[in-house]
Amino acid sequence: REGTQTTKLGFKMTFATRYISSFGQLSKIKKFRLFPALAGVLNDANAGGGYYKQEQTRNAHSTSALQADTSHAVEEIISATPTGGLRARFSLTAEVAVSKIFPAGFGWQSSSILAENMGFAPESMKFALTTGVGDGIGVFLGHTLYYSAKKALASGDIDMAREKDIGILLGTAGFFSGTAWQPLVNALQGANLSFNEVFFGTWVGCGAAFYAGLRCGRTILSGFLDHVDEPTYDNSKNDISLSIAIGGATGFFVGTDASYLPDQNFLIDCVGIKDGMSDLTG
C-alpha cells in the first residue's frame, strides 16, 4: 500500500506541476479546489510529509478545514507563477521594430538610391537584387547593433555569438523579401489594382518570401552556425508568425510610393516619399 501511495503522489505532483507551469492562469489554477485530495497532496508535500501520512491524519481534520489549508497552498503557487501582459507584448513589438523593421527599410531605401545612381532600372533584376542585399544588411546590422547596445547598457548576460547567428538568419530572410518587394509591387501596380489591393498583395507576397528565406536559411546555415536550428515543425510556427509581421511591414512600405494613387494612399502623409524630398529624409 505504501508503494502504491508513493506512486500516486508522484503522478499527482507531476500533473499538478505541469498544469500550473504550463498555464499560470488564476482562473484555471483555482480549479484545483474541485479536487481536495489532490490539493491535500500539494499541501502535505509542502509541509515535508507524504501522501500516506496525509491519509493517516485525514480523519483528524474536517473537510472544510482541509479545503481551507489546501486553497492557501494553491494560492501560494499562484502568486509565484510568472505572468505576461500587454506591456510585455508591446515592449517586444517595439524591440522588433527598432532592431529589424526600421533598419530593413533604411537599408532597402539606401540601396535603391545606390541602384538608381548605378543606372539600374526599377524593373531590372539588378535593381531587385541590390535592394535585397541592402535589406538583408540592414536587418543583420540592426539586430546585432541593437543587442550589442542592450548587452552594454542593460543585459550583460546576452550571448552575442548567438545574436550574430540569428542576425545572419534574419538577414538572409530579409534578402529574400527585400528582393521580392520591387518586382511584386511593379506587377501589382501594373495590373491597375487599388492601393489597398497592392498593400495586401505585397503583405502576402513578401511575407511568403521572408518565410521562404527563413526556411532556406535554417536548412543551409544550421550546418555551420551553432545557434541556428534546422527547420522543424515547432520553429515553423514561430517563423510563420514573424513572417506575417514582416509581411505587414513591407505592405506599409508601399505607402512610401507617393506617385501611385495618392488619393487612396492612406499612408502618404506618414511615410510617403514625395517629389523634391531629399535622399536622407526619404
Side-chain angles (χ1 to χ4, degrees), residues 34-228:
L34 299 178
F35 304 95
L38 175 58
V41 172
L42 289 172
N43 187 56
D44 201 33
N46 286 338
Y51 186 87
Y52 186 60
K53 176 182 176 182
Q54 193 270 335
E55 282 283 323
Q56 290 178 318
T57 60
R58 177 173 295 177
N59 293 332
H61 300 280
S62 67
T63 302
S64 59
L66 176 61
Q67 289 177 341
D69 289 342
T70 55
S71 296
H72 176 70
V74 174
E75 292 296 342
E76 287 183 348
I77 297 172
I78 294 169
S79 64
T81 303
T83 57
L86 194 61
R87 181 179 179 181
R89 183 180 295 273
F90 274 104
S91 177
L92 179 60
T93 301
E95 187 173 279
V96 171
V98 171
S99 65
K100 300 169 185 64
I101 294 177
F102 291 161
F106 189 89
W108 193 100
Q109 187 67 20
S110 299
S111 61
S112 73
I113 295 171
L114 176 63
E116 289 177 356
N117 291 336
M118 294 176 66
F120 299 155
E123 298 80 15
S124 67
M125 183 56 65
K126 291 182 179 180
F127 184 96
L129 291 173
T130 302
T131 52
V133 170
D135 195 307
I137 292 174
V139 172
F140 170 74
L141 291 179
H143 182 85
T144 53
L145 291 176
Y146 175 84
Y147 281 99
S148 295
K150 187 174 181 179
K151 178 181 177 66
L153 299 175
S155 303
D157 58 345
I158 291 177
D159 184 355
M160 287 309 302
R162 176 181 181 276
E163 299 305 332
K164 177 183 67 67
D165 289 355
I166 293 175
I168 293 173
L169 173 63
L170 296 174
T172 301
F175 168 76
F176 274 62
S177 62
T179 299
W181 191 88
Q182 190 66 60
L184 183 59
V185 171
N186 289 343
L188 295 172
Q189 291 181 347
N192 295 319
L193 300 180
S194 68
F195 177 84
N196 287 339
E197 289 172 329
V198 176
F199 174 89
F200 285 109
T202 304
W203 184 331
V204 173
C206 286
F210 192 88
Y211 179 76
L214 286 176
R215 305 312 283 178
C216 290
R218 289 189 184 279
T219 301
I220 298 172
L221 299 175
S222 61
F224 54 89
L225 293 181
D226 294 336
H227 301 284
V228 174

Side-chain angles (χ1 to χ4, degrees), residues 256-259 268-278 282:
T256 62
D257 185 359
S259 63
I268 193 169
D269 293 328
C270 180
V271 297
I273 301 177
K274 303 176 182 179
D275 293 339
M277 185 177 289
S278 69

Side-chain angles (χ1 to χ4, degrees), residues 243-266:
S243 299
I244 292 173
I246 297 300
T250 63
F252 275 86
F253 202 66
V254 174
T256 62
D257 185 359
S259 63
Y260 186 75
L261 301 178
D263 294 338
Q264 298 181 19
N265 186 348
F266 61 92

